[in-house]
Amino acid sequence: MKIGLFDSGIGGLNVLKEFINKYPNNNYIYYGDTKNIPYGDKDKETLLELSKKIIKFFEDKKVDLIVIACGTISSTCYNELKKITSIPIIDIISPTINYLKKNKYNKILLLGTNRTINSHIFKKNIENIKEIATPEFVLMIENKKINLNIIKKYLNDYKEYEAI
């Protein structure tokens, strides 16, 4: 099976790594849209335009499955993208929600881009969740430079949460 996996940058490489570990016999194509990063502050129309180009790229590569490893695209464009291609698409949000529901955490802290948090997709599906936009995390991940002061800025007041 040929699987196309995409994110707004390199963060989705972690998702790709897990797919390769679990399904090593598949062929993978990764599309990291570092040219247009960050996605978290873009409007929905721009995100759809960027995503449609990526879907077209995967159609041209004749993939059998598309995985959206981007929380921002998954939370804002997933339903529209499913309608424009016959290739099955998996988002990253649904499995995360299912995992969190299955494990029945009492207090969950969600960190995400502005666009993901403003969609309230997690809050609509899970009780006991606190949503916090962490736009500075994107740049840390993409630049591979962890800044503990930025992390503490966001997390210091949320030590009582069971899952982040």
Side-chain angles (χ1 to χ4, degrees):
M1 175 180 271
K2 189 186 286 187
I3 299 174
L5 193 139
F6 77 95
D7 192 3
S8 61
I10 64 168
L13 289 173
N14 291 318
V15 178
L16 175 62
K17 179 182 171 192
E18 292 303 316
F19 265 87
I20 291 169
N21 286 340
K22 191 161 185 165
Y23 308 105
N25 296 324
N26 292 324
N27 294 316
Y28 296 93
I29 299 172
Y30 183 80
Y31 191 111
D33 188 12
T34 55
K35 177 181 175 187
N36 294 296
I37 198 166
Y39 277 14
D41 293 322
K42 293 186 181 353
D43 60 57
K44 184 173 181 175
E45 292 75 26
T46 301
L47 294 171
L48 270 170
E49 182 182 314
L50 293 169
S51 300
K52 287 177 179 179
K53 289 178 184 176
I54 296 169
I55 297 297
K56 174 73 171 100
F57 170 82
F58 285 137
E59 287 175 335
D60 291 345
K61 296 292 183 184
K62 301 192 181 330
V63 301
D64 302 300
L65 175 69
I66 298 171
V67 177
I68 305 171
C70 177
T72 300
I73 297 298
S74 293
S75 65
T76 58
C77 303
Y78 174 60
N79 291 326
E80 289 90 341
L81 294 176
K82 289 190 307 184
K83 295 174 186 174
I84 66 164
T85 185
S86 60
I87 301 169
I89 301 177
I90 298 173
D91 71 307
I92 196 155
I93 302 286
S94 301
T96 304
I97 289 171
N98 292 339
Y99 173 84
L100 292 169
K101 283 181 173 180
K102 179 181 167 190
N103 286 285
K104 300 177 183 175
Y105 294 107
N106 292 315
K107 290 186 91 175
I108 302 166
L109 181 63
L110 175 70
L111 309 176
T113 65
N114 289 325
R115 180 68 51 200
T116 299
I117 296 302
N118 290 334
S119 77
H120 299 295
I121 192 163
F122 284 90
K123 196 173 251 186
K124 292 173 188 171
N125 289 284
I126 300 172
E127 295 179 21
N128 306 319
I129 193 162
K130 169 81 174 166
E131 301 172 315
I132 299 175
T134 54
E136 293 170 292
F137 280 28
V138 173
L139 295 176
M140 282 194 304
I141 292 167
E142 294 304 317
N143 295 322
K144 299 179 188 174
K145 293 182 180 174
I146 302 303
N147 183 325
L148 292 178
N149 291 327
I150 292 174
I151 294 170
K152 287 177 184 176
K153 176 177 108 174
Y154 287 107
L155 299 182
N156 253 3
D157 296 334
Y158 300 102
K159 295 176 182 170
E160 74 276 6
Y161 285 81
E162 296 174 290
I164 299 175

